Amino acid sequence: MSLSHEIYELWDELADRPLVETREAIDLLFRRIAGWIGADNAFWVGVARVKDAPDARKDILHGWRLRAAERWIPRTEENQEFIRKVLAHMERDPGMSTRKIISESGRFRSYRLRDGFIDFEAFRRTPQYQMYFQQGGITDRIWCVFPVNPDAESLFCFDRIRRRSRFTLEHEQLVAQALRGIKWFHRQLLLNHGLLVGNAPLSPAHRRLLPQLLSEKTEKEIAATLGLTRATTHKYVTDIFRSFNVSSRAGLMSLWMGGGG
């Protein structure tokens, strides 16, 4: 079986996943691509435009911000808190690689850490490299960015950790091929974090409830599934509707099915 055929099979598996299984779907994507290219870890970042010209021209990230993230290994609450701190720090000091990637927003693009897209020797001397790459043992990285619309992008990263071997051009091209053909999936990832059409990123509690709203469960059943009171569940549902500017579950579902945003 060719790898291209395996990519098509991955796309089919992702498309067949119920909307309620977004977490399982992104795990599947991480695991499958990491296996193909020999990556030890992977993560996703939702990027949103928060400033327009002329304010964007004076902004360190050209008006963009890293708004949400999902990491493959390990996935713990402590790790998610670390990700939130990283995103907050990156707003203050995004570093060479992030600035370069964001400066080329608006097109599908991919990069390797050591392929010359930035001055690697200069990058090694920066606080960003020492804090995240050196301390984390990251020896190589592939970035791949999908622009879902003019104001939102879906960023995937795959890392090799404490290895001498580097990613090749073929590895980068494989990642790009696998991620290029699933705009609907990038769109759903952004939606699941309250981005794309939402007013602000959703809280962890709201993200936990959101997939349940995309199922056929009643609010009573959702409350039981999540161990919440019915009053709290209803409040969260109302909050989510307001965030996405819809008035019903049907309206919410239409966004996931491509009817808005």
Side-chain angles (χ1 to χ4, degrees):
M1 182 186 299
S2 70
L3 201 51
S4 291
H5 187 79
E6 290 190 42
I7 289 174
Y8 299 147
E9 286 196 340
L10 171 61
W11 292 350
D12 288 342
E13 288 181 59
L14 293 173
D16 288 340
R17 288 268 180 177
L19 293 177
V20 71
E21 296 182 3
T22 300
R23 172 62 59 81
E24 292 81 1
I26 195 171
D27 279 348
L28 169 65
L29 183 64
F30 282 150
R31 184 174 66 252
R32 197 69 55 82
I33 295 178
W36 291 336
I37 66 173
D40 301 298
N41 195 19
F43 64 94
W44 169 87
V45 178
V47 189
R49 189 193 302 273
V50 298
K51 296 181 181 181
D52 295 316
D55 292 338
R57 287 195 292 271
K58 300 178 289 184
D59 185 69
I60 192 170
L61 279 177
H62 310 282
W64 292 83
R65 291 295 182 270
L66 314 181
R67 281 304 196 215
E70 290 280 353
R71 190 175 183 183
W72 179 32
I73 300 173
R75 176 169 284 154
T76 63
E77 183 53 39
E78 179 180 349
N79 187 264
Q80 292 302 109
E81 179 60 28
F82 172 76
I83 289 176
R84 288 189 283 271
K85 290 180 179 178
V86 168
L87 294 183
H89 180 267
M90 294 293 277
E91 288 201 14
R92 301 190 301 272
D93 181 17
M96 290 174 62
S97 61
T98 303
R99 289 199 301 270
K100 174 66 173 178
I101 291 167
I102 295 299
S103 72
E104 299 184 345
S105 61
R107 65 177 181 87
F108 181 83
R109 56 209 189 273
S110 62
Y111 314 87
R112 280 174 292 136
L113 177 61
R114 298 170 186 265
D115 74 347
F117 89 103
I118 56 173
D119 182 337
F120 180 69
E121 290 306 314
F123 182 52
R124 288 180 64 182
R125 297 190 292 271
T126 65
Q128 181 195 18
Y129 180 86
Q130 294 165 9
M131 184 179 301
Y132 302 120
F133 287 78
Q134 187 173 351
Q135 291 187 18
I138 299 170
T139 52
D140 208 358
R141 169 171 291 176
I142 290 174
W143 292 263
C144 190
V145 195
F146 194 112
V148 177
N149 68 22
D151 298 314
E153 298 196 334
S154 175
L155 166 64
F156 276 84
C157 292
F158 294 87
D159 292 333
R160 283 192 172 176
I161 298 175
R162 297 182 179 88
R163 292 204 200 189
R164 291 187 177 182
S165 60
R166 301 177 183 176
F167 289 123
T168 65
L169 175 60
E170 289 72 22
H171 290 140
E172 179 188 342
Q173 292 172 336
L174 191 155
V175 171
Q177 181 183 355
L179 295 176
R180 184 67 181 87
I182 48 174
K183 180 176 182 177
W184 63 270
F185 187 75
H186 295 283
R187 191 174 183 281
Q188 287 187 6
L189 287 177
L190 291 165
L191 284 169
N192 271 278
H193 285 78
L195 302 175
L196 199 62
V197 297
N199 298 321
L202 296 176
S203 71
H206 288 89
R207 288 206 312 272
R208 185 166 168 253
L209 187 143
L210 177 58
Q212 303 295 324
L213 274 179
L214 301 173
S215 71
E216 297 182 353
K217 292 180 180 177
T218 65
E219 283 193 19
K220 180 179 179 180
E221 290 170 333
I222 293 173
T225 297
L226 300 181
L228 301 172
T229 66
R230 293 184 65 180
T232 297
T233 300
H234 184 71
K235 180 183 183 304
Y236 285 171
V237 169
T238 302
D239 292 343
I240 290 170
F241 287 169
R242 184 181 302 112
S243 178
F244 287 104
N245 196 29
V246 298
S247 58
S248 67
R249 293 174 74 167
L252 191 68
M253 182 68 75
S254 73
L255 295 176
W256 263 254
M257 302 308 292

